[in-house]
Amino acid sequence: MATTPRTEPAAAAPFEPSAEPLPDFSGVDVGALAVRTDHAVLGDVAALLLRNWPTGEDAVAYYEDGPGALLR
């Protein structure tokens, strides 16, 4: 009976964030999306976003949230 030598999996490279910027979805009308979509998951996510959407008085942003912030 022939045996196959055991090989160990290669070690995964450490995770690094992509240099590619995320798309800008700031112009998306989430309310219209929630009403018009026929995709079950997307509709549920849009409805959840609207339910938890902060008012103008509740919204908070920190300087770390800026587009030039580098996460390390």
Side-chain angles (χ1 to χ4, degrees):
M1 177 158 139
T3 60
T4 305
R6 182 177 166 184
T7 57
E8 298 298 325
F15 174 78
E16 291 188 21
S18 171
E20 182 178 336
L22 294 174
D24 181 8
F25 292 112
S26 61
V28 173
D29 183 351
V30 178
L33 179 67
V35 173
R36 291 188 329 197
T37 187
D38 60 352
H39 191 283
V41 174
L42 183 56
D44 288 347
V45 168
L48 181 65
L49 282 172
L50 289 172
R51 195 168 51 239
N52 294 316
W53 204 276
T55 64
E57 296 83 38
D58 295 336
V60 176
Y62 298 95
Y63 69 91
E64 294 98 352
D65 296 339
L70 298 175
L71 301 177
R72 293 188 189 249

